[in-house]
Amino acid sequence: MSSEANNRSNIAVGLNDPQWLAINQVTAALNPSQLNWLSGYFAGLAQSSQGQVVPAPQAAVAKSLTILFGSQTGNAKLVATELKAKLEANNISTSLVSMADYKAKQLKSESHVVAIVSTHGEGDAPDDAVELHGFLASKKAPKLTELKFAVLGLGDSSYEFFCQTGKDFDQRLSDLGAQRLLDRVDCDVDYDATVSAWSDALMAKIAEEMVQAESVVAPTVSAGQGNELTVVEYNKKFPFKASLLASQKITGRDSVKDIRHIEVSLEDSGIQYQPGDALGVWFANDSQLVESLLELLGIDKNESVKFAEQSFTIFDVLVEKLELTQSYPTFAKAYNEYANSDELAAKLEDKAVLRVYLAERQIIDVVRDYPATLSAQQLVDALRGMTPRLYSIASSQAEVEDEVHLTVAVVEYDAHGYRHQGGASGFLAKRLEEGGEVRVFVEKNDNFRLPENPDTPVIMIGPGTGIAPFRAFMQQREADEAQGKNWLFFGNPNYTQDFLYQVEWQRFVKDGVVDKVSLAFSRDQEEKIYVQHRLLEQGAEVYQWLLDGAHIYVCGDADHMAKDVNDALLSIVQLHGDKSAEQAEQFIMELRRAKRYQKDVY
């Protein structure tokens, strides 16, 4: 802005040049939290009828609170956002920043930091936390003796490296001299009660630490005045009751997989989503599974129990509220207090053995293996609450409007002498009839987004149901008339049985939306061929696309496919970029840093 424009602006609000200069000098050195506080302070002055000075804080304003979140699927971001709202409702000003957007060197200027971070895969940091995680472990990390911190880890106790990223952050901050506000808390998948207790304790501690300007008058908005539009925001805790429009099998009759195209109506919800987001699905357990479990334990299905401070029949709470199709260590430990099995106790002592055992069994299998006598309430207390399943959205609202589409692999198999079915996939594909109610919400994923520039080329790697978000991507790019090139790598067992959305992809190619499709059908020849092999075969062209600014996306299995694809990309950069292993690692890291290499893996 020019000096003349500045002068006009100053006059408009009654400021003379010396006053304007003084304000600039004061505010130049303040951080966002301090500026937010100062705006409230001046608002208090303006609203004071006597024009009296509002008392300033007694201690240095330099104290600030920053909440950092590292999230793969959105849970850590949601917890962090709710914590910020809770703190600010109690006049504790905070800054909320994704670890992906945070300048690591800023840590030495912070007074109070809260880190909320998930763990995925084999103890890996989520994509948006990788750089900060690595920085804290490096020799570049500064001493942080003036910093006070708290860490909340999110994870799944079924995995060996439970909440490992949270443990890493907690240890490394401490090693650098920072002081804990609270001991680290590790949250399992059913984390609501744990997070609530932790955030209450944190708020009490922060209130002691941070000096608040209690006399500042905050602006308020009167409710019920005028014709305000009330917008309902559906989320995990308040899902939308949608209806199932379609559940269509899209694999062939002889396929080894049962994969469904699911369509859900969002009519009248006002829900908006973007390609790359996920749909959270709350499901009901199979009533026959529940009856079999209760029969095994000799429990009357009408017996009353307490869960989350509410009364239910044991049958209803098992169908609607508790996790039965995934086994987990906390259940095994609690259940063995009643089974009193030496064999199960030995498994509990060996985490690796226990992990393999539980991965192959549902709750009812553990009960069959180790019979026990326990009450209905004891069973409820041993189980953990149900958690919604997240599915990558396979549609763009530019194409389907008030619908949302999913690509769901039905989990159904014989094991240990019985037929088994997945909780959510079985509900959507087998037990829920068309028109039936399903509770859903959108989980935003800002770490899996199409490039802002529609001319940017895109490489998509999505075997199996990993193709889902790329169907959404292409629907969106077609609607936007984007000019950027698009290349799909897709794989599955057989071409004739498992080419998901084949007709649609052929049309995308015919209409010029998709420029290149590379297919890897593993069982159509003697030697297994996967998407990483196709990448390596066309490595020179892949590398050229990257040099041309392409964004690369990977969706699907985290344990094997995503790692194999990453190794293939490193090999491509080394070979075709004439780089050392270390330089290739740096190249890939730069792609991540620029958000040109994004993953949606599970």
Side-chain angles (χ1 to χ4, degrees):
M1 184 181 288
S2 68
S3 176
E4 181 181 352
N6 257 331
N7 288 337
R8 285 199 301 268
S9 177
N10 300 347
I11 292 168
V13 295
L15 296 175
N16 58 36
D17 284 342
Q19 289 172 325
W20 189 249
L21 180 61
I23 289 172
N24 275 321
Q25 288 174 336
V26 169
T27 58
L30 300 182
N31 63 33
S33 296
Q34 294 161 349
L35 288 170
N36 284 335
W37 178 88
L38 200 58
S39 68
Y41 178 76
F42 285 140
L45 287 179
Q47 294 180 29
S48 173
S49 60
Q50 302 298 321
Q52 295 173 344
V53 175
V54 179
Q58 301 171 356
V61 192
K63 287 188 176 180
S64 62
L65 175 62
T66 298
I67 302 174
L68 300 175
F69 65 87
S71 187
Q72 193 70 27
T73 61
N75 285 334
K77 181 180 180 180
L78 178 62
V79 170
T81 302
E82 291 178 345
L83 176 62
K84 175 180 169 68
K86 192 171 188 176
L87 290 166
E88 292 191 336
N90 287 270
N91 294 324
I92 300 173
S93 181
T94 67
S95 296
L96 179 66
V97 188
S98 166
M99 291 181 178
D101 301 326
Y102 187 73
K103 291 185 170 64
K105 292 182 179 179
Q106 177 68 22
L107 274 173
K108 62 185 178 184
S109 302
E110 302 276 11
S111 66
H112 295 74
V113 164
V114 175
I116 301 174
V117 64
S118 64
T119 297
H120 76 106
E122 297 300 316
D124 298 326
D127 286 349
D128 54 5
V130 167
E131 190 169 355
L132 182 60
H133 183 265
F135 175 81
L136 288 175
S138 72
K139 294 180 180 180
K140 295 180 180 179
K143 291 296 181 184
L144 300 172
T145 54
E146 300 301 314
L147 177 68
K148 294 186 177 180
F149 75 96
V151 173
L152 181 78
L154 300 181
D156 183 340
S157 61
S158 301
Y159 288 86
E160 180 180 3
F161 299 100
F162 175 55
C163 287
Q164 186 60 49
T165 307
K167 294 172 183 176
D168 291 345
F169 272 98
D170 182 71
Q171 186 60 53
R172 289 166 185 174
L173 288 170
S174 177
D175 290 345
L176 293 168
Q179 304 170 56
R180 290 184 181 88
L181 290 163
L182 296 172
D183 287 340
R184 185 193 74 251
V185 169
D186 299 330
C187 298
D188 211 337
V189 291
D190 183 19
Y191 57 72
D192 286 347
T194 306
V195 167
S196 180
W198 173 82
S199 60
D200 286 345
L202 178 69
M203 189 166 65
K205 187 67 176 176
I206 290 292
E208 294 175 8
E209 292 278 330
M210 312 281 284
V211 178
Q212 300 303 307
E214 295 177 357
S215 54
V216 171
V217 180
T220 59
V221 177
S222 299
Q225 298 179 1
N227 296 316
E228 297 99 340
L229 176 64
T230 301
V231 179
V232 177
E233 184 174 343
Y234 296 103
N235 54 39
K236 179 180 177 181
K237 295 180 181 178
F238 185 54
F240 174 66
K241 294 179 181 178
S243 61
L244 179 70
L245 295 174
S247 173
Q248 177 186 358
K249 187 179 180 183
I250 55 174
T251 44
R253 179 184 303 174
D254 298 323
S255 174
V256 295
K257 297 182 177 184
D258 181 353
I259 296 178
R260 302 296 178 103
H261 172 72
I262 304 288
E263 297 182 1
V264 173
S265 173
L266 300 178
E267 189 174 3
D268 298 329
S269 70
I271 290 175
Q272 298 292 305
Y273 60 84
Q274 297 181 58
D277 288 340
L279 190 74
V281 176
W282 287 100
F283 60 96
N285 284 315
D286 186 351
S287 59
Q288 292 183 356
L289 171 67
V290 171
E291 288 180 351
S292 296
L293 177 62
L294 292 175
E295 186 179 344
L296 272 173
L297 293 168
I299 296 174
D300 184 338
K301 64 187 292 185
N302 296 311
E303 192 166 337
S304 180
V305 293
K306 290 279 190 181
F307 176 74
E309 301 181 358
Q310 296 182 57
S311 295
F312 300 88
T313 66
I314 182 64
F315 178 83
D316 287 345
V317 79
L318 288 176
V319 169
E320 297 288 345
K321 302 292 183 180
L322 296 170
E323 183 64 69
L324 298 181
T325 54
Q326 294 179 346
S327 294
Y328 33 93
T330 52
F331 171 76
K333 182 178 180 181
Y335 180 74
N336 202 39
E337 292 181 11
Y338 310 105
N340 197 25
S341 163
D342 292 339
E343 184 178 318
L344 183 53
K347 288 183 171 69
L348 286 164
E349 290 296 318
D350 190 326
K351 291 183 178 179
V353 170
L354 180 67
R355 187 172 68 256
V356 171
Y357 172 77
L358 294 178
E360 298 172 346
R361 287 165 175 81
Q362 297 183 344
I363 294 297
I364 196 169
D365 296 315
V366 179
V367 172
R368 286 180 179 129
D369 286 349
Y370 304 103
T373 301
L374 70 166
S375 70
Q377 189 62 56
Q378 287 169 336
L379 174 62
V380 169
D381 294 341
L383 293 165
R384 74 183 182 196
M386 182 185 291
T387 55
R389 304 299 192 255
L390 295 178
Y391 293 100
S392 301
I393 290 175
S395 56
S396 163
Q397 284 186 297
E399 172 73 20
V400 303
E401 298 181 342
D402 58 359
E403 296 179 9
V404 60
H405 297 176
L406 307 175
T407 311
V408 176
V410 181
V411 177
E412 193 167 27
Y413 58 96
D414 291 316
H416 320 296
Y418 295 90
R419 191 69 174 162
H420 293 67
Q421 201 174 81
S425 67
F427 174 72
L428 288 170
K430 301 283 188 173
R431 302 194 297 277
L432 187 65
E433 296 182 357
E434 288 187 11
E437 182 181 284
V438 54
R439 294 171 296 144
V440 301
F441 60 95
V442 170
E443 190 78 75
K444 298 293 183 185
N445 187 358
D446 292 331
N447 296 317
F448 204 74
R449 288 282 184 256
L450 278 166
E452 290 184 10
N453 184 346
D455 296 334
T456 302
V458 161
I459 299 173
M460 303 164 287
I461 305 166
T465 57
I467 201 171
F470 304 134
R471 179 177 185 262
F473 276 18
M474 292 305 98
Q475 287 182 356
Q476 187 67 50
R477 290 206 120 181
E478 183 175 39
D480 293 342
E481 298 183 355
Q483 298 303 304
K485 295 191 298 181
N486 302 296
W487 187 354
L488 172 72
F489 286 84
F490 172 73
N492 236 353
N494 300 106
Y495 176 86
T496 58
Q497 303 293 321
D498 306 304
F499 192 168
L500 307 184
Y501 304 111
Q502 179 180 356
V503 173
E504 292 186 38
W505 287 105
Q506 287 172 336
R507 185 189 67 77
F508 282 139
V509 172
K510 179 182 177 182
D511 293 349
V513 179
V514 173
D515 298 83
K516 197 172 175 68
V517 174
S518 297
L519 301 172
F521 291 102
S522 59
R523 300 188 185 184
D524 278 351
Q525 60 285 309
E526 186 174 344
E527 184 181 353
K528 297 286 181 66
I529 295 177
Y530 299 108
V531 287
Q532 63 268 22
H533 299 131
R534 296 302 188 210
L535 276 168
L536 290 168
E537 286 173 4
Q538 304 189 62
E541 189 172 359
V542 168
Y543 185 67
Q544 187 58 54
W545 276 51
L546 292 176
L547 292 182
D548 292 341
H551 286 215
I552 191 163
Y553 300 88
V554 181
C555 182
D557 168 54
D559 292 337
H560 302 290
M561 183 276 297
K563 292 179 179 179
D564 291 339
V565 165
N566 192 74
D567 289 343
L569 290 173
L570 287 169
S571 296
I572 287 168
V573 173
Q574 277 188 261
L575 177 62
H576 300 286
D578 193 25
K579 298 181 186 298
S580 66
E582 185 177 348
Q583 288 171 329
E585 288 274 8
Q586 185 61 35
F587 183 93
I588 295 297
M589 180 60 76
E590 289 296 334
L591 291 180
R592 285 182 177 169
R593 187 178 291 116
K595 296 191 175 180
R596 289 179 53 201
Y597 179 19
Q598 300 182 30
K599 293 184 287 186
D600 177 11
V601 296
Y602 37 84

